[in-house]
Amino acid sequence: MLPIVTERLVLRTFAESDLDDLHDIQRRPDVARYLLWDTRTRDESRTALAKRIQQTDLKAEGDNLAIAVTLRQSGKLIGDFNLEWLSADLGRAEIGFVMNPDYAGKGYATEAAREVLRLAFNTYAFHRVIGLCNGENYPSQRLMERLGMRREAYFRQSEILKGKRVDLAVYAMLADEWLDVDV
């Protein structure tokens, strides 16, 4: 993936030098709260980073593109995004995102996610992009709504997360809908 430069951010592939900032995100209980994994030790973050470094393109169904979101001015990693190719036949992908809460409320997540959707629809030509989140994860739901994604389903107590039944919110956008909101 070539770097994508916005007004305030650079979206790029992950590098070994991202370990400190990635661990700073992954060690936080407020980040891991709605994720499938618990807070991570530095070694666990190192292992996760090694995997993310390898996820540089979408060439076949099942591939995941790991996207490091950094501040343009300082190069500091503040976000970890995914674009996963779910189905070749259906042209379906899934967007996922984790941001450092210290940078919340500044529009960085929206700016980055908009570029990931642009990549999904304009570069990879997906027909449909979905986003899933815990039903109590209101910031993620608001982000997907700001992007123009539509809530298509809300499944009550449909998942088990860390031993607890939780709700699941499902959002989606079609390629032709993206054309209507693309900026």
Side-chain angles (χ1 to χ4, degrees), residues 9-182:
L9 303 172
V10 175
L11 284 68
R12 58 167 174 76
T13 56
F14 278 87
E16 293 285 342
S17 58
D18 292 323
L19 179 58
D20 289 340
D21 291 339
L22 184 63
H23 178 60
D24 185 43
I25 295 169
Q26 293 184 345
R27 69 177 179 77
R28 299 174 63 135
D30 54 341
V31 169
R33 177 179 179 191
Y34 298 118
L35 300 175
L36 298 175
W37 41 267
D38 286 313
T39 57
R40 291 185 170 158
T41 65
R42 186 172 179 78
D43 284 341
E44 290 169 331
S45 292
R46 183 179 287 110
T47 299
L49 177 60
K51 183 177 181 182
R52 313 248 346 110
I53 288 172
Q54 300 302 312
Q55 299 172 323
T56 61
D57 200 1
L58 298 176
K59 294 184 179 188
E61 183 177 305
D63 285 352
N64 183 66
L65 176 61
I67 303 166
V69 177
T70 63
L71 294 175
R72 188 172 172 184
Q73 294 296 321
S74 67
K76 179 173 181 57
L77 177 79
I78 62 166
D80 177 359
F81 278 61
N82 288 299
L83 184 61
E84 183 178 357
W85 189 348
L86 298 178
S87 172
D89 290 341
L90 298 174
R92 184 183 311 150
E94 180 178 345
I95 187 174
F97 40 85
V98 176
M99 293 292 290
N100 184 325
D102 292 344
Y103 296 87
K106 297 177 170 64
Y108 293 130
T110 304
E111 189 173 330
R114 188 174 293 119
E115 294 306 316
V116 175
L117 286 177
R118 187 182 322 278
L119 192 65
F121 292 119
N122 296 359
T123 301
Y124 291 106
F126 286 113
H127 170 70
R128 177 181 173 82
V129 175
I130 65 168
L132 311 173
C133 71
N134 183 300
E136 294 180 4
N137 188 343
Y138 303 114
S140 289
Q141 291 179 54
R142 285 192 301 271
L143 171 59
M144 289 187 277
E145 290 165 1
R146 279 194 307 276
L147 294 168
M149 296 178 81
R150 162 189 64 264
R151 185 158 95 174
E152 292 190 332
Y154 190 88
F155 298 106
R156 292 188 30 107
Q157 297 184 10
S158 67
E159 303 291 322
I160 295 181
L161 179 65
K162 300 173 186 164
K164 178 183 170 192
R165 291 191 182 278
V166 296
D167 300 344
L168 180 68
V170 179
Y171 286 78
M173 176 179 274
L174 299 175
D176 62 350
E177 294 169 324
W178 169 250
L179 294 174
D180 291 339
V181 297
D182 188 13

